[in-house]
Amino acid sequence: MILADPRQDDTPIVFANNAFLDLTGYEESEVLGRNCRFLQGSGTDPEHVAKLREAVHERKPIAIEILNYRRDGTPFWNAVFMGPVHDPAGEVIYFFASQLDVTQRREAEQQFRQAQKMEAIGQLTAGLAHDFNNLLHVITGSLERLAAKRHDDRAFERYMAAATAAAERGAKLTHQLLAFARRGRLEPKGTDLSELVNSIAELLETSVGDKATLHLNLQRRLPLVKVDATHLEMALLNVVVNARDASPVGGAITITTREIHLNGNAAARHLKPGHYVLLCITDEGTGMASHIAARATEPFFTTKARGEGTGLGLAMAHGFVQQSGGRLEIESAVGRGTTIRMLFPRYEPEAERTDQGGDATGYQARPLDASTAPPLILVVDDSREAAAMAGEALQEVGYRVVIAHSAEEALRRFDEAAASGDAFRLVFSDVIMPGGTNGIVLAEQVRSRDPGVPILLTTGYNDEMAIDTPQPQAMDVLGKPYRRSELIDRVQAALRRGARTGPERQKSDFGHAKA
């Protein structure tokens, strides 16, 4: 539970109970005076942030689930209830917010979706086995002929090329299946729908088989949409398989992508006016009566024979499109085929960056004290470009920076600085680095040398710090990608706070709430 004060600039937190600190990993001194947006990270949905901001502006209560990040960089799904607290005169004096960790429930839902994805792949097994058998036949037949034609250079090259092409096609199909079946939570990002369809064209063609003919009508240089590419692949495959099954006598299945603009007709489609990208799948199959089409997106509703379909394909596609801020439409008539349209809003990354601004973490960069020497910071990253960018950002606000490109070099620099009397005041290190010593081991060795030096880690793998090494307590992690302002804010916060060498408070009796 937290209380925030709307009468102060930026509505800072003025109270946080121990359960909130248990949940987030922060100490009370690190929380008070900050806007709660410091819990946001690279995977936080800007639309969820906008809804919270709108509720604060309008002084209204809100209940929402949002992806937040703990102090050590690990994400968690936070079910937030926030509402205004009024005094007897009706003035809003606080905002109260309760936090519920719903990560386990969200992961259970994800596992269910994963099970359905694997079932969809299972329905393709027979067709894929047939296709792979054909490829193996080409390979084994070519190898047999190579033995007989090894003295005929032209025949040898022809059979070698055929075997190589078949092996490469089989490898590509296997790679696409493995990518399609990978496990991961919903992670929307800017995606070109035409490129996505092209990337799984082989898989789609295999799914269609010889029952129908697959046509691609893809607009080049499409605007991006913000979707989870893996889930969209699954939705597209489900729709294409349905189109194949609805085409017993053949015909064309056409996948189309193009940009469209909705204005006066947007309200009728339950969408906001603006620019959208269309993904359309059209078949020439049996079609559906109107009462069947009206129920097509209901879970477990299917017209297929028992054992031939689960009735979840279109339901999952419909739910995914809605979750992505779009709309799924069905147009069908008996004997005239079916058209499935998926409309996604155009993704405007520039507008998102402008909206999130430089003050998104709740800290403002503070000028350095000119009366003392600027703090010396050690930046460690095996990527020279990443290290240089971090170093330049810190130097621009007045810090002195030394860069190392491995943990071994970093420890050598650390010892040299300590011996010279001008020791490092903070270490900023990447977690994943080549060699025997990663960022977590480096942090342990730095703390064994000087426990008072704060350490800030950064990683692009903060969903799960799956590293087979001891993990220091209370890791301070900045997730990649990070903005310049976020780096400066976290560095300044770590320098003001100093190193965390042990627990600073009693844990709450029951820990943080989970569902």
Side-chain angles (χ1 to χ4, degrees):
M1 299 180 184
I2 60 173
L3 285 175
D5 188 352
R7 297 168 294 182
Q8 298 186 42
D9 291 339
D10 207 26
T11 315
I13 296 172
V14 294
F15 166 79
N17 69 351
N18 277 350
F20 176 84
L21 303 178
D22 291 345
L23 170 63
T24 62
Y26 288 90
E27 298 299 332
E28 186 178 51
S29 61
E30 300 171 308
V31 168
L32 299 185
R34 300 179 71 177
N35 184 287
C36 60
R37 68 172 71 92
F38 69 88
L39 294 174
Q40 298 165 21
S42 58
T44 306
D45 191 333
E47 290 187 8
H48 295 164
V49 177
K51 290 178 180 178
L52 285 170
R53 187 184 298 118
E54 182 180 356
V56 171
H57 178 72
E58 297 181 356
R59 303 295 199 257
K60 292 182 178 179
I62 184 174
I64 192 171
E65 292 185 4
I66 185 170
L67 186 68
N68 283 160
Y69 290 79
R70 297 183 175 88
R71 186 181 188 275
D72 65 4
T74 56
F76 68 97
W77 280 100
N78 191 359
V80 179
F81 169 77
M82 183 179 69
V85 179
H86 299 85
D87 66 6
E91 180 186 356
V92 177
I93 55 175
Y94 295 112
F95 275 98
F96 166 81
S98 65
Q99 332 275 323
L100 180 65
D101 184 353
V102 295
T103 305
Q104 291 181 351
R105 192 254 296 161
R106 299 280 298 218
E107 288 182 347
E109 293 173 354
Q110 173 62 24
Q111 289 170 0
F112 173 76
R113 287 193 294 266
Q114 176 71 7
Q116 300 306 319
K117 181 194 300 183
M118 298 308 297
E119 184 171 346
I121 292 177
Q123 292 177 359
L124 301 175
T125 301
L128 288 171
H130 176 266
D131 201 31
F132 274 111
N133 276 334
N134 286 341
L135 295 175
L136 290 172
H137 175 71
V138 172
I139 293 171
T140 55
S142 296
L143 291 173
E144 182 182 1
R145 298 305 298 162
L146 282 172
K149 299 287 186 179
R150 59 181 178 272
H151 301 300
D152 185 340
D153 291 343
R154 293 181 62 184
F156 188 94
E157 291 178 1
R158 185 170 70 252
Y159 289 122
M160 175 65 74
T164 301
E168 288 176 350
R169 185 164 182 262
K172 188 174 182 181
L173 284 173
T174 301
H175 174 75
Q176 289 175 339
L177 277 174
L178 290 173
F180 180 80
R182 72 181 184 270
R183 182 181 181 274
R185 60 181 172 82
L186 195 65
E187 293 184 349
K189 60 182 180 180
T191 303
D192 184 316
L193 293 187
S194 294
E195 291 181 1
L196 181 142
V197 174
N198 265 325
S199 70
I200 60 168
E202 289 278 357
L203 184 58
L204 294 172
E205 187 176 351
T206 302
S207 304
V208 172
D210 57 2
K211 286 190 174 182
T213 305
L214 183 66
H215 298 271
L216 302 182
N217 181 18
L218 309 177
Q219 178 181 328
R220 297 183 61 189
R221 295 186 292 275
L222 268 180
L224 301 182
V225 297
K226 192 171 185 180
V227 297
D228 185 297
T230 303
H231 285 72
L232 182 54
E233 290 171 6
M234 178 175 65
L236 177 59
L237 180 60
N238 278 327
V239 174
V240 169
V241 169
N242 284 345
R244 177 203 67 189
D245 294 341
S247 306
V249 295
I253 298 174
T254 305
I255 301 176
T256 303
T257 60
R258 62 186 174 91
E259 182 182 9
I260 64 173
H261 180 76
L262 299 182
N263 195 4
N265 57 344
R269 303 174 102 156
H270 304 284
L271 294 171
K272 297 178 181 178
H275 295 279
Y276 290 81
V277 178
L278 171 68
L279 175 60
C280 182
I281 303 94
T282 302
D283 65 65
E284 299 174 341
T286 56
M288 295 180 284
S290 58
H291 68 282
I292 298 294
R295 299 188 59 192
T297 58
E298 293 181 11
F300 304 107
F301 176 79
T302 180
T303 58
K304 296 180 181 179
R306 184 178 181 85
E308 295 183 6
T310 63
L312 287 170
L314 271 180
M316 294 172 64
H318 178 258
F320 164 74
V321 174
Q322 280 195 325
Q323 189 177 1
S324 302
R327 176 175 171 81
L328 185 142
E329 300 175 341
I330 301 175
E331 181 181 326
S332 187
V334 176
R336 297 175 59 184
T338 300
T339 296
I340 305 292
R341 299 185 187 90
M342 303 183 198
L343 290 151
F344 298 96
R346 188 169 71 178
Y347 176 43
E348 303 286 0
E350 293 297 330
E352 181 176 305
R353 281 197 289 269
T354 300
D355 179 63
Q356 291 186 344
D359 62 343
T361 61
Y363 273 152
Q364 299 295 328
R366 300 184 181 182
L368 302 182
D369 185 357
S371 64
T372 60
L376 183 63
I377 296 175
L378 177 59
V379 174
V380 189
D381 200 311
D382 62 293
S383 167
R384 295 183 180 275
E385 295 80 5
M389 289 179 62
E392 289 173 7
L394 295 171
Q395 287 172 335
E396 285 175 358
V397 294
Y399 294 109
R400 295 178 296 147
V401 174
V402 173
I403 292 177
H405 298 297
S406 69
E408 292 74 18
E409 181 186 357
L411 290 171
R412 187 169 64 252
R413 299 266 189 171
F414 188 89
D415 292 338
E416 291 171 354
S420 71
D422 186 13
F424 288 105
R425 294 279 305 281
L426 180 140
V427 175
F428 175 60
S429 174
D430 191 16
V431 170
I432 306 298
M433 291 186 291
T437 308
N438 57 42
I440 293 179
V441 176
L442 172 63
E444 288 284 340
Q445 296 187 7
V446 167
R447 283 176 173 164
S448 68
R449 286 166 164 80
D450 187 348
V453 175
I455 299 167
L456 175 62
L457 300 177
T458 182
T459 179
Y461 297 88
N462 54 351
D463 276 7
E464 46 180 288
M465 300 282 283
I467 302 171
D468 296 328
T469 55
Q471 297 193 4
Q473 290 185 347
M475 287 188 298
D476 203 354
V477 181
L478 175 62
K480 288 183 179 180
Y482 53 80
R483 294 189 293 275
R484 172 184 175 276
S485 60
E486 290 178 320
L487 170 62
I488 296 169
D489 292 345
R490 294 292 291 273
V491 165
Q492 291 189 344
L495 286 170
R496 288 195 299 272
R497 182 189 65 243
R500 292 175 63 173
T501 56
E504 300 177 11
R505 60 179 172 84
Q506 290 293 112
K507 297 289 186 181
S508 59
D509 292 338
F510 302 103
H512 63 274
K514 296 182 180 181

